[in-house]
Amino acid sequence: MPQIKRLEHLRETLAVLAISLARTHGHLAWFLSGALNALEPVLRWRALPADRGGTFGTVLATSEEYTEAEEAVRRLQDVLAQISRVS
Protein backbone atom coordinates (compact mmCIF):
# COMPACT_ATOMS: atom_id res chain seq x y z
CA MET A 1 0.00 0.00 0.00
CA PRO A 2 1.39 3.48 -0.79
CA GLN A 3 2.71 5.46 2.16
CA ILE A 4 0.08 8.16 1.71
CA LYS A 5 -2.68 5.54 2.19
CA ARG A 6 -0.86 4.01 5.15
CA LEU A 7 -0.60 7.43 6.78
CA GLU A 8 -4.26 8.14 6.02
CA HIS A 9 -5.33 4.93 7.78
CA LEU A 10 -3.13 5.63 10.79
CA ARG A 11 -4.48 9.17 11.12
CA GLU A 12 -8.05 7.90 10.82
CA THR A 13 -7.29 5.53 13.69
CA LEU A 14 -6.04 8.43 15.78
CA ALA A 15 -9.20 10.40 15.02
CA VAL A 16 -11.40 7.47 16.08
CA LEU A 17 -9.39 7.08 19.28
CA ALA A 18 -9.72 10.79 20.07
CA ILE A 19 -13.49 10.72 19.51
CA SER A 20 -13.78 7.56 21.61
CA LEU A 21 -11.73 9.10 24.39
CA ALA A 22 -14.02 12.14 24.48
CA ARG A 23 -16.98 9.86 25.24
CA THR A 24 -15.23 7.50 27.68
CA HIS A 25 -14.26 7.62 31.33
CA GLY A 26 -12.49 5.48 33.90
CA HIS A 27 -9.89 2.85 33.11
CA LEU A 28 -10.81 2.64 29.45
CA ALA A 29 -10.21 6.39 29.06
CA TRP A 30 -6.80 5.99 30.66
CA PHE A 31 -6.02 3.10 28.30
CA LEU A 32 -7.14 5.01 25.18
CA SER A 33 -5.16 8.09 26.16
CA GLY A 34 -2.06 5.90 26.46
CA ALA A 35 -2.70 4.53 22.97
CA LEU A 36 -3.11 8.06 21.60
CA ASN A 37 0.11 9.13 23.28
CA ALA A 38 2.02 6.16 21.84
CA LEU A 39 0.74 6.87 18.31
CA GLU A 40 1.30 10.65 18.53
CA PRO A 41 4.41 10.60 16.28
CA VAL A 42 2.10 9.69 13.36
CA LEU A 43 0.79 13.27 13.50
CA ARG A 44 4.27 14.60 12.65
CA TRP A 45 4.77 12.33 9.65
CA ARG A 46 4.31 13.35 6.06
CA ALA A 47 3.96 10.92 3.20
CA LEU A 48 5.40 13.07 0.44
CA PRO A 49 8.80 14.77 0.17
CA ALA A 50 8.82 18.53 0.70
CA ASP A 51 10.08 19.89 -2.62
CA ARG A 52 9.95 23.55 -1.60
CA GLY A 53 8.69 25.54 1.29
CA GLY A 54 8.32 24.73 4.94
CA THR A 55 7.57 21.33 6.34
CA PHE A 56 6.03 22.65 9.58
CA GLY A 57 8.13 20.20 11.58
CA THR A 58 6.92 17.11 9.73
CA VAL A 59 9.25 14.27 8.80
CA LEU A 60 9.22 11.40 6.35
CA ALA A 61 8.66 8.19 8.28
CA THR A 62 10.62 5.06 7.52
CA SER A 63 8.97 1.83 6.42
CA GLU A 64 9.86 0.37 9.80
CA GLU A 65 8.07 3.21 11.60
CA TYR A 66 4.95 2.63 9.51
CA THR A 67 5.11 -1.09 10.21
CA GLU A 68 5.55 -0.54 13.96
CA ALA A 69 2.61 1.89 14.11
CA GLU A 70 0.39 -0.44 12.09
CA GLU A 71 1.32 -3.36 14.34
CA ALA A 72 0.50 -1.25 17.40
CA VAL A 73 -2.93 -0.49 15.90
CA ARG A 74 -3.52 -4.21 15.28
CA ARG A 75 -2.58 -5.03 18.88
CA LEU A 76 -4.87 -2.25 20.10
CA GLN A 77 -7.75 -3.65 18.02
CA ASP A 78 -7.13 -7.12 19.47
CA VAL A 79 -7.13 -5.81 23.05
CA LEU A 80 -10.30 -3.77 22.51
CA ALA A 81 -12.00 -6.81 20.97
CA GLN A 82 -11.02 -8.89 24.00
CA ILE A 83 -12.32 -6.20 26.36
CA SER A 84 -15.65 -6.03 24.52
CA ARG A 85 -16.06 -9.82 24.74
CA VAL A 86 -15.46 -9.80 28.51
CA SER A 87 -17.86 -6.97 29.32
Side-chain angles (χ1 to χ4, degrees):
M1 181 181 318
Q3 284 189 342
I4 197 160
K5 283 290 184 190
R6 293 173 81 182
L7 185 56
E8 178 183 337
H9 288 148
L10 288 167
R11 288 188 175 165
E12 284 176 359
T13 300
L14 282 170
V16 168
L17 284 172
I19 291 167
S20 299
L21 180 60
R23 302 190 59 146
T24 307
H25 62 279
H27 293 292
L28 183 56
W30 176 82
F31 177 76
L32 291 176
S33 70
L36 278 166
N37 191 43
L39 290 170
E40 185 271 336
V42 170
L43 297 174
R44 291 191 305 264
W45 294 353
R46 68 176 185 271
L48 303 172
D51 294 331
R52 301 182 254 162
T55 62
F56 304 102
T58 60
V59 296
L60 289 170
T62 65
S63 288
E64 292 81 20
E65 288 173 315
Y66 275 105
T67 301
E68 286 175 12
E70 290 163 340
E71 179 59 29
V73 168
R74 280 190 284 278
R75 287 191 311 251
L76 176 62
Q77 289 172 329
D78 289 345
V79 168
L80 291 173
Q82 290 173 6
I83 289 170
S84 67
R85 277 184 249 137
V86 171
S87 15

